Amino acid sequence: KKASSATPIAGGTPSLKPHGRMLGENAFTDYYLLHGQTYPPTIPVSDLFEGKGKEYPVGQITPHPLESNTYRETSAEKRAHDRLQADVYSKVRQAAEVHRQVRSYAQSFIKPGIKLADMCKMLENKNRELIQEDGLRRGIGFPTGCSLNHVAAHYTPNSGDDTVLQYDDVMKVDFGCQIDGRI
């Protein structure tokens, strides 16, 4: 389906392809529909996983490449210690799922012609909405950076900045969310 087709339905099949170049064939900007999210995403991530015992997606786990760290996988004591950190892992996984959903949402609207200040505002507002911002307990991790071309990192447009993303620009977007200070 194309972006101009019917509005995707929560719990439906992802169908919207990103505008960006060099993204894989299996990349969809509405992947979060599989989790019951709306399009665009509006349901806080903690509400999406509430009926699932707050079990957030684990993501990819890879073994440590150095032999000196294999004890982390083979030691029963280390695995027991990791289980004691389950609440920390849950918070980090929740923030990671919010980040994934905001990133996919961003890929649906970031395209040439968008003002960087507007883009950052949209990203930060969606981040706040999905993480259910609550002062210092939950919210954005840092101001959104959107560095163009020769600027390596940490450029954030101020209000009144009319910089617009051009077709041949290379942009690095950096945003984050935090729960209890864990970014």
Side-chain angles (χ1 to χ4, degrees):
K1 294 180 186 176
K2 296 180 182 175
S4 61
S5 64
T7 303
I9 300 170
T13 304
S15 61
L16 300 178
K17 301 298 285 176
H19 299 287
R21 300 176 240 169
M22 300 173 59
L23 293 173
E25 281 295 313
N26 296 326
F28 293 98
T29 61
D30 58 348
Y31 90 91
Y32 41 73
L33 295 175
L34 296 172
H35 296 298
Q37 184 59 275
T38 59
Y39 177 82
T42 57
I43 302 170
V45 169
S46 61
D47 292 351
L48 284 178
F49 292 91
E50 199 158 36
K52 301 172 185 166
K54 296 268 187 191
E55 291 289 325
Y56 298 102
V58 173
Q60 183 180 8
I61 298 177
T62 56
H64 198 282
L66 298 178
E67 186 69 29
S68 61
N69 279 311
T70 57
Y71 74 92
R72 300 174 140 247
E73 297 171 10
T74 59
S75 166
E77 182 179 342
K78 181 61 181 157
R79 289 193 308 271
H81 180 268
D82 286 347
R83 281 192 295 275
L84 291 174
Q85 300 295 320
D87 64 325
V88 173
Y89 292 154
S90 180
K91 291 173 185 175
V92 171
R93 286 180 179 140
Q94 179 187 359
E97 182 60 25
V98 169
H99 194 275
R100 271 192 292 273
Q101 290 190 18
V102 172
R103 185 177 63 236
S104 288
Y105 170 67
Q107 289 172 347
S108 73
F109 68 82
I110 296 176
K111 54 187 170 186
I114 192 168
K115 287 174 65 173
L116 298 186
D118 294 343
M119 181 204 72
C120 288
K121 187 180 292 186
M122 290 172 70
L123 257 170
E124 289 175 356
N125 288 340
K126 187 56 65 180
N127 201 348
R128 288 180 176 106
E129 179 182 6
L130 295 185
I131 204 154
Q132 291 180 303
E133 187 175 50
D134 181 21
L136 295 177
R137 287 193 56 237
R138 288 189 303 272
I140 61 172
F142 46 84
T144 300
C146 55
S147 308
L148 291 178
N149 304 321
H150 65 282
V151 179
H154 306 290
Y155 173 75
T156 301
N158 293 317
S159 58
D161 186 335
D162 290 330
T163 306
V164 173
L165 179 65
Q166 301 300 314
Y167 180 79
D168 286 328
D169 284 341
V170 175
M171 181 170 62
K172 291 78 64 181
V173 178
D174 189 16
F175 70 98
C177 47
Q178 65 86 19
I179 298 177
D180 291 336
R182 291 176 171 84
I183 296 177

